[in-house]
Amino acid sequence: MLGWALTFLVVALIAAVFGFGGIASASAGIAQILFFIFLILFVITIIARAVRKV
């Protein structure tokens, strides 16, 4: 999932360089959403692992 977020981030940066505003903002939005989902899943995994070890 982090790979997808980075892919959309790269697409957004390339689109921003070429001036495609709509594509850039859409790709940046998708990348941001995927990044936050990845971050939430990462925190849940860390908490679950800590609880399981106890």
Side-chain angles (χ1 to χ4, degrees):
M1 192 171 307
L2 184 60
W4 281 106
L6 291 174
T7 302
F8 279 108
L9 178 64
V10 169
V11 170
L13 291 174
I14 291 172
V17 167
F18 290 120
F20 300 118
I23 296 172
S25 65
S27 295
I30 292 170
Q32 186 177 14
I33 290 168
L34 288 175
F35 176 76
F36 284 123
I37 290 172
F38 169 77
L39 194 64
I40 290 168
L41 290 175
F42 178 70
V43 169
I44 290 171
T45 303
I46 288 177
I47 292 171
R49 188 172 288 226
V51 169
R52 187 178 295 171
K53 284 187 176 182
V54 172

